[in-house]
Amino acid sequence: MQPLLLIRAGRGGMSAIERRIADFILDNAHLLRDYSSQQLANALGISQSSVVKFSQKLGFKGYPDLKYSIGEAVARNGESAEPAVEAGDGAGEDPLARGLWQAKSRAEEETRLLNPPERLEALAGMLQEAERIFVVGIGEDSVMARAFAIRLSLLGLLAIHHFDPALVPAEVSNARSGGLLLLFSERGEVTALARLARLFRSRGGRVVSVTRHTANALRAHADLSLLVSAHDDARHVEPLLYQAALQQLLDLVFLRLCADESRRMRLDDYREHVRSLLDE
């Protein structure tokens, strides 16, 4: 696992001091070999123990282990310490397209690291076991929520999409314990969704949150959380990275559901039906 990908993916859940250390390392990976833990602490105005704890929290034995890992990555991949993304010979290439593609690739890789296969398998199992699936999202989150609900329906799962959380409580109040609620919220700070999650769980249902990899209210009320890491200095680019990384994540869940042959056959039958209608 690339150490800088690991740091960037975990940045959203770090404390203020940890983010300062992370940002320094991300910006100065090629210079890190010249810094001892004490020198790094002095440069940031923090304690040496904070640097050591940061390294251990990432899974390294200590700062020397972290520095060595980053040094190896620098030697292999150049000053970025991250693997170069190949995209042809570059002849006639649009720099804007290449930059966006690389940014999306990084976001998808970071998101994959945050969601191990066991978590995706667990979600696929929850979806297949649920008697009824409520899918809720607001604003741009509603677009992704609706598309995923449609995919679930095509596989024969009873999925109901709601764009307005105010319309859900009436159905939720009569829901049985076999229900599942999927809440899409990039920032995870929509009070109405947190209330809905509490209500649903009080009725014996299970809740899955889909948010950024940050500490947020929605994650606190979820039985399982899907986490997305997508960062960019340009505010208009960051949503594009979030949507791309989230789509990849949902596609992986969908593929796990398609492992059930009966559901896959149902999807194939639907596509044949649509094709026949279009050919008429």
Side-chain angles (χ1 to χ4, degrees), residues 1-8 14 18 21-22 24-26 29 32-33 35 37 40 50-74 76 81:
M1 181 185 301
Q2 291 292 331
L4 293 197
L5 280 177
L6 182 63
I7 292 173
R8 186 177 287 108
M14 293 179 182
E18 289 170 342
I21 300 172
F24 183 89
I25 293 175
L26 291 171
L32 200 63
R33 63 181 181 272
Y35 282 81
S37 58
L40 178 56
S50 295
V51 176
V52 175
K53 290 177 181 178
F54 174 85
S55 304
Q56 293 173 339
K57 187 174 181 179
L58 291 173
F60 295 93
K61 295 179 181 179
Y63 174 75
D65 190 24
L66 171 61
K67 182 169 72 169
Y68 178 77
S69 178
I70 292 176
E72 280 195 322
V74 168
R76 287 195 304 269

Side-chain angles (χ1 to χ4, degrees), residues 134-147 160-169 181-197 208 210-211 218 239 242-243 246:
F134 299 93
V135 187
V136 183
I138 301 175
E140 290 188 7
D141 291 306
S142 180
V143 177
M144 301 294 286
R146 180 175 182 272
I160 305 168
H161 170 251
H162 287 277
F163 65 89
D164 186 350
L167 302 177
V168 185
L181 176 64
L182 269 70
L183 297 175
F184 286 70
S185 177
E186 181 175 351
R187 302 298 174 183
E189 299 295 348
V190 180
T191 303
L193 295 185
R195 290 175 179 168
L196 186 58
V208 174
V210 184
T211 71
L218 206 54
Y242 178 85
Q243 292 160 14
L246 175 55

Side-chain angles (χ1 to χ4, degrees), residues 1 5-13 106-120 211-214 219 225-231 245 249:
M1 181 185 301
L5 280 177
L6 182 63
I7 292 173
R8 186 177 287 108
R11 187 184 181 282
R106 285 193 296 269
E108 291 170 5
E109 176 70 8
E110 293 165 14
T111 298
R112 182 182 62 81
L113 295 174
L114 291 171
N115 299 274
E118 306 81 53
R119 182 178 301 174
L120 303 186
T211 71
R212 281 185 172 275
H213 178 52
T214 56
R219 285 180 63 184
S225 296
L226 290 186
L227 306 172
V228 179
S229 176
H231 307 285
L249 194 59

Side-chain angles (χ1 to χ4, degrees), residues 134 172 179-181 196-206:
F134 299 93
V172 168
L180 180 65
L181 176 64
L196 186 58
R198 288 197 298 269
L199 173 63
F200 199 79
R201 295 186 73 182
S202 71
R203 297 293 190 273
R206 293 192 287 180

